[in-house]
């Protein structure tokens, strides 16, 4: 197994804890409290704006046309496609433009995005990929598993659009290049350098777990 594909196993406990979190499981069953999902939508809207910025940093740091194109393409997908799913759901909740623009990021949201941007700005390109990869990878993995696990409930599931979007081949294919790119970037790295990449990756998986937990508790801070 390549270095990049082996990262999931390195974060296996928190990865599975994330999938088994009540927010994710209730999302799959269609029983998630809609106020919790609304809280998630607004926080994730803010998150995605910051997430997209990290891909802009990646494009600037890229030393090949291929990598620059890949980072730019993902940034476009986030802003043009993924944000549209959020806007449709927000419209269904009656969330106004004013409410969307006035919402403040939670402490957990700010910590996660600040960490990503800091790694993106100060770290290597390999570190940048490691810090953003868990978001796309966990979402694709969780959505595919939810779609299979709760297939008999999908037609009547209020959150079907969310599951269908993130379980789609198009979503997975948008970040498929991460594997080879990261493997190429770490090819000549020392073991300590590779260990740092692993730690960055695992930290982002942990932040993903905290994001689900924050949304489920509708928690703006530690209080």
């Amino acid at each position: 197994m390549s270095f990049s594909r082996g990262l999931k196993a390195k974060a296996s406990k928190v990865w599975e804890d994330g999938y088994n979190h009540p927010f994710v499981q209730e999302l799959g069953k269609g029983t998630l409290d809609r106020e919790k999902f609304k809280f998630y939508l607004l926080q994730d809207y803010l998150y995605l704006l910051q997430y997209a910025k990290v891909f802009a940093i990646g494009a600037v740091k890229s030393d090949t046309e291929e990598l620059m194109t890949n980072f730019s393409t993902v940034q476009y997908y986030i802003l043009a496609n993924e944000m549209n799913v959020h806007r449709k759901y927000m419209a269904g909740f009656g969330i106004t433009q004013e409410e969307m623009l006035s919402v403040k990021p939670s402490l957990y949201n700010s910590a996660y995005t600040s960490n990503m941007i800091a790694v993106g700005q100060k770290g290597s390109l390999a570190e940048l990929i490691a810090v953003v990869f868990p978001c796309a990878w966990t979402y694709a993995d969780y959505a595919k598993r939810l779609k299979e696990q709760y297939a008999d409930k999908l037609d009547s599931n209020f959150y079907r659009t969310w599951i269908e979007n993130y379980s789609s081949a198009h979503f997975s294919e948008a970040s498929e290049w991460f594997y080879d790119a990261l493997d190429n970037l770490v090819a000549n790295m020392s073991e300590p350098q590779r260990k740092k990449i692993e730690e960055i990756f695992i930290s982002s998986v942990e932040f993903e777990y905290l994001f689900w937990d924050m949304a489920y508790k509708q928690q703006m801070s530690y209080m």
Side-chain angles (χ1 to χ4, degrees), residues 7 10-11 13 18-19 22 24 27 34 41-42 44 75 78 80 91-92 103 108 112 158 180 189 198 205 207 211 222:
L7 288 172
K10 300 285 186 181
K13 185 183 185 305
Y19 180 69
V24 176
L27 190 71
R34 295 190 184 187
L41 278 177
L42 289 168
D44 204 43
Q75 185 190 38
I78 293 164
V103 69
Y108 307 93
Y112 188 5
F158 176 75
D180 288 342
M189 283 187 178
E198 290 175 6
V205 180
F207 272 121
F211 205 96
Y222 75 96

Side-chain angles (χ1 to χ4, degrees), residues 117-151:
I117 290 176
V119 172
Q121 290 176 331
K122 298 177 183 178
S124 66
L125 204 54
E127 290 170 4
L128 185 150
I129 292 175
V131 83
V132 297
F133 200 0
C135 180
W137 198 352
T138 55
Y139 269 55
D141 179 62
Y142 292 179
K144 287 174 186 175
R145 290 161 69 181
L146 290 176
K147 186 175 181 179
E148 182 178 341
Q149 184 176 352
Y150 300 109

Side-chain angles (χ1 to χ4, degrees), residues 100-127:
M100 186 173 68
L101 295 176
S102 63
V103 69
K104 302 296 183 185
S106 75
L107 176 68
Y108 307 93
N109 195 350
S110 294
Y112 188 5
T113 55
S114 294
N115 180 68
M116 282 197 303
I117 290 176
V119 172
Q121 290 176 331
K122 298 177 183 178
S124 66
L125 204 54
E127 290 170 4

Side-chain angles (χ1 to χ4, degrees), residues 3 5 9 18-19 27 46 57 59 64-65 67 73 116 124-125 135 144-145 161 167 173 185 202 205 219:
F3 173 84
R5 293 183 185 276
Y19 180 69
L27 190 71
L46 296 177
I57 297 169
T64 68
E65 183 180 349
L67 272 179
T73 300
M116 282 197 303
S124 66
L125 204 54
C135 180
K144 287 174 186 175
R145 290 161 69 181
T161 304
S167 65
E173 288 165 3
L185 289 166
I202 293 168
V205 180
Q219 195 172 13

Side-chain angles (χ1 to χ4, degrees), residues 159-175:
Y159 306 110
R160 177 177 179 173
T161 304
W162 190 97
I163 295 170
E164 294 281 13
N165 179 65
Y166 290 114
S167 65
S168 69
H170 183 65
F171 180 76
S172 294
E173 288 165 3
S175 56

Side-chain angles (χ1 to χ4, degrees), residues 28-97:
K29 296 173 187 174
T31 60
L32 181 67
D33 185 302
R34 295 190 184 187
E35 285 302 307
K36 294 179 180 181
F37 190 71
K38 179 180 176 180
F39 185 94
Y40 159 81
L41 278 177
L42 289 168
Q43 289 298 316
D44 204 43
Y45 174 78
L46 296 177
Y47 168 89
L48 287 172
L49 291 174
Q50 300 304 310
Y51 186 58
K53 290 179 183 179
V54 187
F55 285 89
I57 297 169
V60 171
K61 288 194 168 188
S62 296
D63 56 6
T64 68
E65 183 180 349
E66 181 181 12
L67 272 179
M68 191 183 298
T69 300
N70 286 337
F71 278 113
S72 300
T73 300
V74 174
Q75 185 190 38
Y76 176 82
Y77 178 87
I78 293 164
L79 297 173
N81 295 71
E82 196 169 357
M83 295 292 270
N84 277 341
V85 174
H86 280 63
R87 291 188 188 100
K88 287 176 184 176
Y89 266 119
M90 286 191 283
F93 276 98
I95 296 172
T96 64
Q97 182 80 359

Side-chain angles (χ1 to χ4, degrees), residues 13-30:
K13 185 183 185 305
V14 66
W15 191 290
E16 291 308 304
D17 285 347
Y19 180 69
N20 291 310
H21 193 281
F23 187 100
V24 176
Q25 287 299 305
E26 290 174 20
L27 190 71
K29 296 173 187 174

